[in-house]
Amino acid sequence: CVENGLEAVNITEQKVFDLVLMDCNMPVMDGWQATEQIRMRERKKLSEYLPIVAVTANAMKGDRDKCIACGMSDFLSKPVD
């Protein structure tokens, strides 16, 4: 668990994860920016694709599209039952 998007970017470079549940609204760097940074690093280093699932309270039309557009793999809206 991390406190912000920048920490998410850093920890995914240091450790191997099977999946990331990414909160979209975080301080310092939001989840959309963090995902873009992770995807850019994957392309640069030709590293393995890391599934990133958005977890957000945003459930308005277009929110899922925004998540997919920045490179997230899927989208879950909170609360998750």
Side-chain angles (χ1 to χ4, degrees):
C1 184
V2 298
E3 298 292 322
N4 61 63
L6 182 58
E7 289 180 9
V9 171
N10 291 337
I11 200 165
T12 58
E13 190 165 22
Q14 298 165 7
K15 295 183 179 182
V16 175
F17 294 90
D18 294 323
L19 172 75
V20 170
L21 298 176
M22 182 76 76
D23 190 343
C24 292
N25 297 303
M26 292 187 287
V28 181
M29 178 187 289
D30 64 39
W32 298 286
Q33 294 167 320
T35 299
E36 289 171 341
Q37 291 293 315
I38 292 167
R39 295 296 182 230
M40 187 168 40
R41 184 181 66 225
E42 287 175 344
R43 287 189 297 274
K44 273 184 169 179
K45 295 185 175 185
L46 300 175
S47 58
E48 191 172 327
Y49 177 82
L50 174 63
I52 301 173
V53 177
V55 180
T56 180
N58 300 335
M60 302 298 290
K61 184 176 179 160
D63 289 330
R64 182 182 188 283
D65 294 336
K66 181 178 179 181
C67 292
I68 300 301
C70 79
M72 292 180 178
S73 311
D74 211 342
F75 172 92
L76 292 172
S77 60
K78 295 188 272 187
V80 177
D81 294 326

